Amino acid sequence: MREQLAKIREDALSRLAAVRDSGELEELRVRYLGKKGEMTAVLKQMGRLPAEERPDMGKLANEVRAAIEEKLAEAKKRVDAQALELKLRAETVDVTIPGRVPDIGHRHPMYIALDEMKEIFIGMGFTVVDGPEIELAELNFDRLNAEEGHPSRDWSDTFYFDRDSRVMLRSQTSPMQVRAMDTLPLPIRMVAPGRVYRKDEVDATHSPMFHQVEGMVIDRGVTMADLKGTLNTVIRKMYGENTQTRFRPHHFPFTEPSCEVDVQCHKCGGAGCPTCKGEGWIELLGAGMIHPHVLEMAGIDPDVWSGWAFGFGLERTAMRRFKIDDLRLIFENDVRFLEQF
Ligand code: PHE
């Protein structure tokens, strides 16, 4: 038994001296000091010794155990230090390496055009207001003189939420005229940009979701001449002093008289090309003098107050501004396209 203990000590100490990682270390600890380890196996034989030998043997066993434990602790220190060293080396940060510059991105071209437009209107004393995309048909249609049975209320053109056709995705920003008349004090000068929805198929000039910028002025003695002057000023600020515009008679239920406003085609300068479909002109907006009945429905006396309103197509405005010839590019969000602006 004495020899057994001596052998265990010698083995254990030499193996522990050579240990390289914490896995090996744990293996050795279990092998020598574990419940089923070599020391335990030896101690189990103690009972068979004559009584007078037991104290000596017990003392020896304790010494061997203590020696192994000490060596274990020492080996653990060494292995831990090595592991830390490795970890530090692997995780070194070289502060002299140049950093990676993050891609910051920038405003979308349509919003650049919108911001320019807002700036111009704010400079002319307009306030910018915001309203819901989920709208009551009452405001989108009834209060704008488009009663039951009006063709634009048809299910084939409009996204409704309910069978009774009372709640819908607004098909135009014009209900913002009504909201402004109902909430703002007179006189009013406001613009209201936002999304609108119609059941259109996607092509180079159509999308079921697009943006409009509504505008409205109500004051005493406001005329069509003010409308023309204001719109021409805005369009020339956006597109250049020499930009030609064309006011064409049109019909909207909530304005009378009504017009559509075109701007000369940027591609061909008016000669006619595929971009303007041979017209030489690109339609930008609808406008007109607010119908007296619309004022009356908002409780505004048309004998005292008059006003006008307009609705820009924002995509078209941006396309003309940046010479983009396909509407789909605005929504596809291809970074190669967007980076050009
Ligand atoms: N809301 C109209 C449209 O979507 C445009 C418009 C706005 C016309 C304001 C007149 C006045 O076509």
Side-chain angles (χ1 to χ4, degrees), residues 172 174 177 198 212 214 252 254-255 286-288 309-311:
Q172 50 184 355
S174 299
Q177 292 180 33
R198 291 180 196 175
Q212 291 186 330
E214 196 76 13
F252 297 105
F254 43 93
T255 47
F310 60 80

Side-chain angles (χ1 to χ4, degrees), residues 224 228 245-252 257-263 279 281-287 316:
M224 190 94 183
K228 274 190 89 168
T245 57
R246 180 172 80 171
F247 289 70
R248 264 182 301 109
H250 198 73
H251 170 78
F252 297 105
S258 306
C259 62
E260 279 188 331
V261 183
D262 304 331
V263 65
E279 294 280 319
W281 297 91
I282 293 173
E283 181 200 321
L284 273 193
L285 66 132
R316 286 172 183 202

Side-chain angles (χ1 to χ4, degrees), residues 205-206 239 282-284 313-321:
T205 53
H206 293 86
Y239 298 140
I282 293 173
E283 181 200 321
L284 273 193
L314 182 55
E315 283 79 3
R316 286 172 183 202
T317 305
M319 285 165 76
R320 171 67 165 73
R321 171 73 179 73

